[in-house]
Amino acid sequence: MCEFYISVCVCASLSLSGSISTADGSALVKVGNTTVICGIKAELTNPTVEAPSKGYIVPNVDLPPLCSSRFRPGPPGEQAQAASQFIADVIESSDVIQTEDLCIERGKLCWVLYCDIMCLDYDGNLLDACIIALLAALKNTQLPEVTIKPEACTPEVNLEKRNGLLIHKHPVGTSFCVFDNSILIVDPTAEEEGLSSAHFTVVTDEGDRLCSVHKPGGTALSGEKLQECISRATARQREIQKLIDKVIQSVKAAE
């Protein structure tokens, strides 16, 4: 059977300035009808004994009932937990931020970044929107300068002087749905995800490096199809990175 792709043109919009005024960094992303907001809050803490020169990044994906009738109040459901773990794996595998950069003084003080990602409107393609929101929020994050006084051994935080994070890589996810083992749809909606025989997400960075592939079950995928999906994902990564950089430049110009 001849295999072919259907590429859905999705309008992606991104807002950085003032999305969450109380956060150290934030971004609001809309991909199709799915809207996700990410807020990053930084706190000072002690490094672990096993990693005395590293900080922490703690992502959490929230799917509240307000975003879709399929979600119920209460503890995080299976999809929210899986999404949180996926984002954590992408952070680690992509080296978007090296946790050594979050260390202030070895064995004594470091930053922990709490990355809260909330879906405001759910219509599929959740992981793509979450990764874009996280990346944009990290690029928008400004941490206050911290110094440690030797005589008192206490940290002194200068809220007036802030520095941005060092972003090493720019991972972007691209989701696909499989129909009849031959048709692949890019950027699927929630309805298309429900009707498909399998769906998966490919994450690549600006160096055309494959960071992660997330495929929770479903029908098998040939190596040839996967390679084609990776090629399409790398092309999309460049487009999304350009969009993020363009918005950040406009925000800086407005300031």
Side-chain angles (χ1 to χ4, degrees):
M1 182 180 292
C2 179
E3 45 181 83
F4 62 98
Y5 289 75
I6 300 176
S7 179
V8 180
C9 182
V10 176
C11 178
S13 62
L14 171 66
S15 174
L16 292 175
S17 180
S19 297
I20 305 178
S21 60
T22 56
D24 295 298
S26 62
L28 177 66
V29 172
K30 184 176 177 65
V31 180
N33 292 324
T34 295
T35 305
V36 170
I37 190 168
C38 178
I40 296 179
K41 197 67 178 176
E43 293 183 5
L44 293 172
T45 187
N46 297 321
T48 62
V49 177
E50 295 79 11
S53 61
K54 295 183 178 181
Y56 312 87
I57 304 177
V58 183
N60 179 64
V61 177
D62 186 16
L63 299 175
L66 67 87
C67 73
S68 173
S69 58
R70 70 176 62 197
F71 304 118
R72 295 289 180 265
E78 182 179 347
Q79 186 173 353
Q81 294 181 48
S84 297
Q85 184 58 55
F86 172 73
I87 296 298
D89 293 341
V90 169
I91 292 173
E92 182 176 357
S93 63
S94 67
D95 289 329
V96 57
I97 286 182
Q98 293 183 0
T99 50
E100 291 85 354
D101 297 338
L102 300 176
C103 183
I104 299 171
E105 185 167 341
R106 178 182 172 86
K108 294 183 178 180
L109 196 66
C110 69
W111 286 109
V112 53
L113 302 181
Y114 293 102
C115 307
D116 292 313
I117 306 171
M118 177 179 288
C119 183
L120 303 179
D121 193 357
Y122 179 86
D123 188 29
N125 220 4
L126 174 69
L127 299 182
D128 292 10
C130 287
I131 295 175
I132 297 172
L134 174 67
L135 176 58
L138 288 172
K139 291 178 73 69
N140 179 244
T141 298
Q142 297 285 322
L143 299 182
E145 189 177 85
V146 179
T147 55
I148 299 179
K149 292 184 176 180
E151 61 277 5
C153 292
T154 56
E156 185 176 287
V157 181
N158 184 2
L159 298 176
E160 300 300 322
K161 188 173 182 181
R162 292 175 173 266
N163 299 303
L165 294 171
L166 180 59
I167 307 298
H168 293 270
K169 296 293 181 181
H170 297 74
V172 172
T174 303
S175 292
F176 302 84
C177 271
V178 182
F179 292 86
D180 297 330
N181 297 328
S182 59
I183 304 174
L184 288 174
I185 291 182
V186 188
D187 296 323
T189 64
E191 182 180 8
E192 289 167 342
E193 288 180 351
L195 295 174
S196 66
S197 57
H199 63 275
F200 60 99
T201 302
V202 177
V203 182
T204 58
D205 63 19
E206 66 269 34
D208 296 346
R209 184 173 65 101
L210 179 62
C211 302
S212 178
V213 175
H214 178 69
K215 186 177 181 297
T219 57
L221 192 70
S222 68
E224 184 180 351
K225 286 183 182 179
L226 180 58
Q227 187 58 52
E228 176 66 20
C229 291
I230 294 173
S231 299
R232 291 174 177 266
T234 55
R236 189 187 189 207
Q237 188 281 333
R238 298 186 186 97
E239 296 175 0
I240 297 298
Q241 186 176 342
K242 288 179 182 178
L243 173 63
I244 294 176
D245 291 340
K246 181 179 179 180
V247 173
I248 289 177
Q249 290 300 324
S250 65
V251 170
K252 289 181 179 180
E255 294 175 349

